[in-house]
């Protein structure tokens, strides 16, 4: 078993609870993530790791891929999306606001960062699986393990946290490295997100 497969196996283990869905217990969604990570590990150019908060119920919960939704593969012409789209198994084509903003920008800029989350599963209010909630401090702490394992595979040159929980998790996971802060693109943060992304890619 190679390092990527070991990582995916570890990710698939946590069981669903009344307040958390682990989509990677579904083989097709674990397979989607496998295709994404394989593509990213072979991607040329500057290696930028962006750490968000958690999977959303209209986005990564349905696709298995952070900062994505089912509709972006038809909507945007970014080379990564065009290459990945035919390889993925996505039953429900939902649109998700954050994914739309992010991939609209990436399609125009040509950048291809690796996306991950402080808590790599879908946290939801008890008994409400089709809603999102912010990950707790304990969940963010649990997420450190996966983030460090992923960074060992990807070996990023630049690390940034998107939103408060993403920044917190990244700084705890990498206390001896610089972690940049990027505004989350939702709730009026689009322009600041774009400015933050441009600064990441323009820095040496």
């Amino acid at each position: 078993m190679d390092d990527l497969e070991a990582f995916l196996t570890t990710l698939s283990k946590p069981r669903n609870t009344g307040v958390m869905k682990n989509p990677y217990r579904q083989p097709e969604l674990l397979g989607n993530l496998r295709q994404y990570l394989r593509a990213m590990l072979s991607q040329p150019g500057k290696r930028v790791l962006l750490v968000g908060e958690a999977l959303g119920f209209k986005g990564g919960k349905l696709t298995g891929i952070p900062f994505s939704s089912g509709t972006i593969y038809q909507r945007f012409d970014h080379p990564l999306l065009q290459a990945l789209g035919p390889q993925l198994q996505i039953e429900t084509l939902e649109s998700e606001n954050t994914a739309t903003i992010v991939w609209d920008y990436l399609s125009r800029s040509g950048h291809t960062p690796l996306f991950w989350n402080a808590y790599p599963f879908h946290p939801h209010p008890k008994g409400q699986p089709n809603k999102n909630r912010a990950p707790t401090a304990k969940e963010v702490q649990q997420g450190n393990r996966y983030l460090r394992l992923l960074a060992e595979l990807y070996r990023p040159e630049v690390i940034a946290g998107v939103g408060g929980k993403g920044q917190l998790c990244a700084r705890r996971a990498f206390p001896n490295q610089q972690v940049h802060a990027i505004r989350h693109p939702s709730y009026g943060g689009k322009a600041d997100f774009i400015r933050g992304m441009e600064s990441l890619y323009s820095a040496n």
Side-chain angles (χ1 to χ4, degrees):
M1 182 183 294
D2 64 21
D3 291 342
L4 175 56
E5 289 304 318
F7 173 74
L8 293 171
T9 298
T10 299
L11 197 66
S12 70
K13 295 298 185 185
R15 296 181 179 275
N16 300 324
T17 72
V19 293
M20 180 276 277
K21 172 71 179 286
N22 178 3
Y24 305 117
R25 295 184 67 82
Q26 299 172 238
E28 65 275 16
L29 297 186
L30 187 67
N32 288 351
L33 181 64
R34 177 183 291 108
Q35 296 295 340
Y36 171 66
L37 292 179
R38 280 180 177 167
M40 288 304 305
L41 291 174
S42 63
Q43 194 79 208
K46 191 172 188 177
R47 292 204 161 191
V48 175
L49 172 60
L50 294 186
V51 184
E53 297 197 351
L55 298 178
F57 79 95
K58 287 186 175 183
K61 175 189 174 185
L62 300 176
T63 66
I65 299 172
F67 283 77
S68 78
S69 68
T71 61
I72 62 171
Y73 301 95
Q74 291 80 35
R75 184 169 179 178
F76 299 113
D77 61 0
H78 190 285
L80 179 71
L81 299 184
Q82 295 300 305
L84 274 181
Q87 304 177 54
L88 303 181
Q89 297 184 58
I90 302 174
E91 291 187 3
T92 306
L93 298 180
E94 287 275 9
S95 178
E96 202 270 340
N97 186 50
T98 296
T100 300
I101 293 172
V102 166
W103 284 102
D104 177 62
Y105 161 72
L106 294 177
S107 296
R108 289 183 284 106
S109 69
H111 301 320
T112 314
L114 172 64
F115 291 107
W116 197 245
N117 282 305
Y119 190 59
F121 311 117
H122 173 236
H124 59 80
K126 188 173 183 179
Q128 296 179 291
N130 291 327
K131 288 191 175 182
N132 297 325
R133 66 168 175 81
T136 65
K138 183 178 180 180
E139 289 169 338
V140 170
Q141 184 178 10
Q142 292 169 349
N144 276 350
R145 173 193 183 197
Y146 304 102
L147 179 56
R148 286 193 293 265
L149 288 172
L150 182 63
E152 288 176 12
L153 291 172
Y154 185 60
R155 300 192 178 280
E157 301 166 53
V158 178
I159 301 170
V162 181
K165 296 289 177 68
Q167 293 163 27
L168 176 64
C169 184
R171 285 174 177 147
R172 286 181 174 174
F174 310 110
N176 299 317
Q177 294 177 247
Q178 182 180 10
V179 174
H180 301 267
I182 301 290
R183 171 81 183 267
H184 197 282
S186 295
Y187 307 109
K190 178 180 178 179
D192 287 338
F193 170 79
I194 291 173
R195 278 192 289 270
M197 289 295 299
E198 288 300 314
S199 71
L200 292 184
Y201 279 94
S202 62
N204 293 327

